[in-house]
Amino acid sequence: MSDKSFTFLSKNISSKKFINLLESIYEHSPWVPERLLSKQGIGIKTKRELQIQMKQIVDDASKIEKLNLIRAHPELGNKIQKTKKLTKFSQEEQKSVGLDQCTEEEFKILTNLNKEYKSKFEFPFIIAVKGLSKNYIIENMKKRVENKQEEEFQTAISEIHKIAKLRINDLIY
């Protein structure tokens, strides 16, 4: 989809509709489009411009806001979690790499890694899954659980930005 289709933001759109449309770009964090609206208005004309502006808002956020943003993301491959908690984007992203159809062994590995990771860092493992395999994700989790707290915090934010960029590119209005 080209950026031309995104010029609707320069038209008359209500604040509520603007926020509803964009609040899932950064998982369950309506404060990002709310700040964008108050800072930029709704004159954004391209997806690239939207991505840059939203990224800047997150980068400028406080550490606690960033931590809450990280914590708003679901655990990967968790069959137990209710799909109501997942944004449409998260459901599709996890399905695209087969995380919704893990074998019992893969599910057990992911569950244990999720527990170990969350116990160490106090937030869920975050990775932009689009285009990755289950095996790659599991191996990445095994490596990243060994990281230091600040390194993993920054990696999580970086991965969230990748996810947001992919979601913006897929955004249809």
Side-chain angles (χ1 to χ4, degrees), residues 55-168:
K55 180 183 183 300
Q56 190 63 55
I57 288 166
V58 171
D59 287 343
D60 291 344
S62 70
K63 185 147 185 158
I64 192 70
E65 288 171 318
K66 290 176 187 174
L67 180 59
N68 288 335
L69 171 61
I70 295 169
R71 288 178 174 162
H73 283 74
E75 286 184 358
L76 294 178
N78 189 343
K79 290 183 181 181
I80 298 168
Q81 65 186 318
K82 295 183 178 11
T83 56
K84 286 182 183 179
K85 291 183 177 181
L86 296 177
T87 62
K88 181 181 170 207
F89 286 118
S90 286
Q91 289 175 34
E92 290 172 5
E93 290 157 359
Q94 290 200 35
K95 276 184 170 183
S96 76
V97 295
L99 289 174
D100 63 329
Q101 298 177 356
C102 289
T103 65
E104 286 304 314
E105 183 178 334
E106 289 168 332
F107 177 67
K108 186 176 180 181
I109 291 168
L110 279 171
T111 300
N112 290 336
L113 284 169
N114 276 325
K115 283 180 185 176
E116 181 181 0
Y117 186 95
K118 198 165 189 178
S119 173
K120 181 174 181 179
F121 298 112
E122 299 179 353
F123 52 79
F125 175 81
I126 309 289
I127 191 168
V129 299
K130 192 170 186 175
L132 304 179
S133 69
K134 286 187 289 187
N135 291 337
Y136 178 86
I137 293 166
I138 289 169
E139 290 305 313
N140 199 274
M141 285 179 82
K142 288 177 183 177
K143 289 177 187 172
R144 284 180 44 196
V145 77
E146 301 301 323
N147 286 346
K148 299 215 181 304
Q149 178 74 26
E150 187 56 32
E151 177 184 11
E152 199 51 31
F153 183 90
Q154 292 305 322
T155 299
I157 293 296
S158 177
E159 290 295 320
I160 288 170
H161 285 317
K162 288 179 192 176
I163 294 165
K165 183 176 181 180
L166 291 166
R167 289 176 177 183
I168 289 169

Side-chain angles (χ1 to χ4, degrees), residues 9-10 18 22 32-46 49-54 56-57:
L9 289 179
S10 63
F18 180 87
L22 300 177
V32 179
E34 286 169 1
R35 287 185 191 167
L36 176 65
L37 188 60
S38 68
K39 172 186 170 192
Q40 183 70 23
I42 53 176
I44 294 171
K45 294 184 173 107
T46 67
E49 185 180 347
L50 177 65
Q51 185 261 325
I52 290 168
Q53 293 294 324
M54 291 183 88
Q56 190 63 55
I57 288 166

